[in-house]
């Protein structure tokens, strides 16, 4: 068969600047800096109104953070959406920024100070805060540089920080409004407390894990008044102010309303009836410690019980007596020993696994603690957040996640927003004489001599404003008018309840009922290839930067996105990243081949094309439609699978191979244009997912001299492909699908005959009336079949798709070895038929076996019978010897 020209000539081969191999490190940094310098990611709210807006505000990563696989997935999804909409002609804003991360950042800087032998108290609040700002300027924001490595097409001109001046103004504004509306109040409530960080914690800052403890059953009272309670925290019994039982139970009915003795303390405490108690669990009675348990706190409020704190902010016992001054974990065994000595221990269960909250930042066991804190009254805000989803203003995707959202917002407790830290937005409340309180707004001065509250706001308070504070609120900016509400929030389902719900509450409140985003697109967690959570303790954590260094950003992104089914967890493995790198290399080689052979996008498409060209153009239209549909549904996994198989299987493995024949005959120029068209559209379709390699290849293909009809110098802003129904050609598809079946069947036959994939063998092709006869050169090329020469003798034959292929395998295979292999396979197939037949003929089996099992046996029988027929034919076709 003649080969396409490699000599430069009129409309044929060309010199190509692309290196023979794709090296991501040589491409990624250069391209990214060019994109940024040319302003390709910069949004303009004043641009033509006929460009529909599309906006995403990035979930702000912590200033202390670095890129992990969860970030890489989240950002890859967002960047895919942003690049897709940018190519569709939308005025696109992806706004970057960072969160000041109160506790995490304060801890980092305190550790740095400790190395110098200094504490924050030695510096004082003002000097310490200056030191944190200095750290932020020098060391914070590493993740922003890593976002560039990943290829994030964010608008760097609008980078925001949750503690910059603009965000500080928005925080003070909304605090003032909430305060004046009676939605912010100060009260003593039980909260999560970290004895190490010395601050209240939000629910999301507490991580629960099962730990082995000790369940101790203690006898309170004596005689008729005796009642047994069980606890894993014996030290808190020093703060008990009641015992609670279920009001409907008969066991303790006689004790309700009476007082019993609390061991070790000399106090008497009441027995109260409360619906919270489960009469079937444990002893049917619970100790009530309102100051040290959230459920007990609520029981205490219902029964007007005293809230008696027996530990200070560091978890040290303050109750007078023998345990005073002991750390809580020292006090626990000491209290149990004292109770045992008095004969009060009824039962001990150890070890006893139970869930315990730990501080997310320092892993210290959290202590529930009654404390004077600031709260947001959430009832009306949470109701509005639920209504916005129920009435369709906001869509949660996938839809099944909506139930979890409602479960959270419909049962939300008032939100503790104060933190006992120095780094953060300081609560804008001042105290004056006689308990006077004032909350000035931005630009207003507090009365002279008044004292500001020492607490700062929860980090989630300022990040809850992110969708509109980053667009200039409370000012009426062009950005706010053009890009609010934002189009979509992409985030993990793990923070649906915390950050997402808070943004919904504040967005609807501040923006007069307009939601902060139209769609909430939730994705799962990144896990290892076995579905196991990534954890340092498991030793399975993967640093995405390691993958970017080894395989490139595109391969990293493609691996993550290919597993990103809506709402599902995403398993990853290094061999999959290697496969993604191979995919990028496949595209590189195919495009380089096309360029060497003169593929281009100049001029109109030919009016008439070959069946092969018509087939690939028809398939391209289907792929465009499918990818659009999947991206609209946030199904990135299916979009990637569709593009992968079209690019690798259909374009590279079939079309390019068939095009080689046409590039060597009179169809060459038409095929060059079609090949250019297919690669142009394919690279554009792939660009949102793998931006770097597609940019390098597309610009080489579509912006080469002497002229370009692409309309853009970069694929970043090239038009997104539209399906052209007129190019759909089902007849061409049917012909090439038949050709594919023929080639696939003969390839299997060749393998069965013991021929290696690349081994050439002489053959005749008897076409009969098959339309495939027009593609003989292509078929021979794909099957490595040479023209029969002198002395040709067919030793094996195969009918397929109306074509008979006769091969001369003499000398190409070891006949004796091949016969032995086939006879072994034939014996196995006959045994399979015998077993399946026996089962299906067994009346007892057929009567009892499930239909699925019967169907499987019938399928095995049919397959084995087909194998026997095939193997017998192959044995017959083998030459004698």
């Amino acid at each position: 068969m003649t080969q396409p020209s490699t000599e430069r000539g009129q409309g044929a081969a060309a010199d190509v600047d692309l290196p023979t191999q794709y090296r991501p490190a040589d491409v990624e940094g250069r391209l990214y800096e060019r994109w940024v310098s040319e302003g390709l990611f910069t949004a303009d709210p004043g641009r033509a109104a006929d460009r529909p807006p599309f906006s995403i505000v990035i979930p702000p990563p912590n200033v202390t953070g670095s890129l992990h696989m969860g970030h890489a997935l989240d950002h890859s999804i967002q960047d895919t959406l942003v690049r897709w909409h940018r190519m569709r002609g939308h005025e696109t804003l992806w706004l970057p920024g960072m969160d000041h991360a109160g506790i995490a950042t304060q801890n980092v800087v305190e550790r740095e100070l400790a190395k110098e032998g200094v504490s924050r108290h030695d510096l004082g609040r003002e000097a310490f805060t200056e030191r944190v700002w200095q750290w932020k300027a020098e060391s914070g924001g590493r993740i922003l540089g890593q976002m560039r490595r990943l290829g994030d097409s964010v608008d760097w001109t609008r980078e925001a920080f949750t503690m910059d001046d603009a965000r500080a103004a928005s925080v003070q504004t909304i605090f003032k409004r909430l305060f004046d509306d009676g939605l912010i109040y100060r009260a003593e409530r039980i909260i999560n407390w970290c004895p190490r960080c010395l601050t209240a914690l939000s629910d999301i800052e507490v991580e629960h894990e099962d730990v082995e403890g000790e369940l101790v059953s203690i006898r309170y009272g004596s005689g008729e008044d005796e009642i047994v309670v069980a606890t894993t925290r014996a030290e808190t019994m020093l703060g008990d102010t009641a015992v609670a039982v279920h009001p409907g139970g008969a066991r303790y009915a006689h004790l309700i309303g009476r007082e019993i003795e609390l061991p070790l303390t000399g106090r008497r405490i009441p027995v109260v009836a409360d619906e919270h108690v489960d009469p079937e669990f444990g002893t049917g009675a619970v100790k009530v410690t309102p100051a040290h348990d959230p459920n007990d706190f609520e029981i205490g409020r219902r029964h007007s019980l005293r809230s008696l704190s027996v530990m200070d902010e560091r978890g040290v016992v303050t109750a007078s007596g023998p345990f005073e001054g002991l750390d809580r974990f020292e006090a626990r065994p000491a209290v149990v020993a004292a109770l045992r000595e008095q004969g009060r221990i009824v039962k001990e269960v150890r070890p006893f696994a139970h869930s315990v909250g730990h501080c997310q930042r320092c892993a210290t066991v959290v202590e529930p603690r009654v404390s004077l804190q600031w709260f947001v009254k959430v009832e009306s805000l949470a109701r509005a957040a639920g209504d916005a989803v129920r009435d369709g203003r906001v869509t949660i995707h996938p839809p099944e996640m909506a139930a979890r959202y409602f479960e959270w917002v419909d049962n939300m407790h008032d939100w503790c927003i104060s933190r006992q830290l120095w780094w953060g937005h300081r609560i804008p409340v001042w105290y004056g004489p006689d308990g006077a309180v004032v909350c000035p707004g931005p630009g207003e001065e507090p009365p002279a001599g008044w004292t500001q509250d020492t607490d700062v706001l929860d980090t989630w308070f300022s990040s809850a404003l992110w969708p509109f504070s980053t667009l200039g609120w409370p000012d009426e900016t062009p950005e706010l008018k053009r890009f609010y509400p934002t189009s979509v929030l992409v985030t993990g389902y793990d923070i649906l309840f915390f950050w997402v719900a808070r943004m919904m509450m504040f967005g609807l409140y501040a923006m007069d009922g307009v939601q902060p985003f139209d769609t909430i697109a939730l994705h799962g967690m990144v896990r290892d290839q076995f579905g196991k959570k990534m954890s340092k303790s498991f030793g399975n954590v993967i640093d995405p930067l390691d993958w970017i260094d080894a395989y490139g950003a595109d391969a990293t992104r493609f691996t993550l996105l290919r597993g990103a089914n809506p709402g599902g967890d995403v398993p990853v493995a290094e061999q999959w990243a290697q496969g993604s790198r191979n995919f990028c290399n496949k595209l590189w080689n195919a495009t380089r081949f096309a360029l060497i052979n003169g593929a281009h996008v100049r001029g109109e498409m030919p009016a008439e094309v070959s069946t092969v060209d018509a087939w690939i153009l028809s398939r391209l239209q289907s792929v465009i439609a499918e990818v659009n549909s999947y991206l609209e549904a946030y199904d990135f996994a299916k979009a990637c699978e569709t593009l992968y198989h079209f690019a690798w299987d259909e374009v590279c493995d079939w079309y390019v191979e068939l095009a080689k024949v046409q590039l060597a005959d009179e169809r060459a120029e038409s095929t060059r244009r079609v090949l250019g068209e297919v690669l142009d559209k394919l690279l554009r379709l792939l660009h949102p997912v793998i931006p770097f390699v597609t940019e390098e290849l597309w610009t080489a293909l579509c912006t080469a001299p002497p002229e370009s009809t692409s309309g853009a110098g970069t694929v970043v802003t090239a038009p997104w492909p539209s399906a052209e129904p007129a190019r759909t050609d089902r007849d061409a598809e049917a012909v090439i699908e038949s050709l594919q079946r023929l080639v696939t069947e003969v390839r299997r036959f060749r393998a069965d005959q013991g021929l290696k994939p690349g081994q050439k063998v002489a053959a005749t092709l008897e076409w009969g009336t098959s339309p495939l006869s027009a593609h003989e050169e292509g078929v021979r090329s794909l099957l490595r079949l040479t023209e029969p020469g002198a002395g040709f003798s067919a030793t094996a034959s195969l009918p397929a798709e109306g074509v008979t292929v006769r091969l001369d395998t003499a000398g190409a295979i070891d006949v004796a070895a091949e016969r032995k292999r086939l006879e072994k396979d034939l014996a196995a197939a006959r045994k399979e038929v015998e077993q399946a037949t026996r089962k299906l003929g067994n009346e007892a089996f057929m009567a009892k076996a499930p239909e699925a099992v019967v169907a499987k046996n019938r399928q095995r029988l049919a397959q084995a019978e087909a194998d026997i027929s095939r193997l017998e034919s192959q044995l017959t076709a083998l030459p004698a010897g």
Side-chain angles (χ1 to χ4, degrees), residues 600-610 613-614 617 655 667-677 727:
H600 63 86
V601 294
R602 296 183 296 277
E604 295 296 325
M605 287 285 287
E608 293 186 9
V609 296
S610 70
D613 289 342
L617 289 171
Y655 179 65
R667 298 168 293 182
E669 185 51 38
S670 175
T671 295
R672 290 187 187 104
R673 182 64 184 87
V674 172
L675 181 54
E677 178 79 4
R727 292 204 178 276

Side-chain angles (χ1 to χ4, degrees), residues 384-397 399 402 405-406 484-489 496 500 503-505 508 513-521:
D387 290 345
V389 175
R390 287 188 170 97
D391 64 23
R393 279 173 288 162
V394 179
T395 301
I396 293 179
H397 195 89
Y405 174 81
F406 292 132
Y484 188 92
T486 61
S487 305
V488 60
L489 172 74
L496 170 65
V500 178
M503 284 190 290
M504 287 283 282
M505 291 193 301
L508 292 162
V514 180
Q515 67 279 7
F517 21 75
D518 296 328
T519 300
I520 302 169

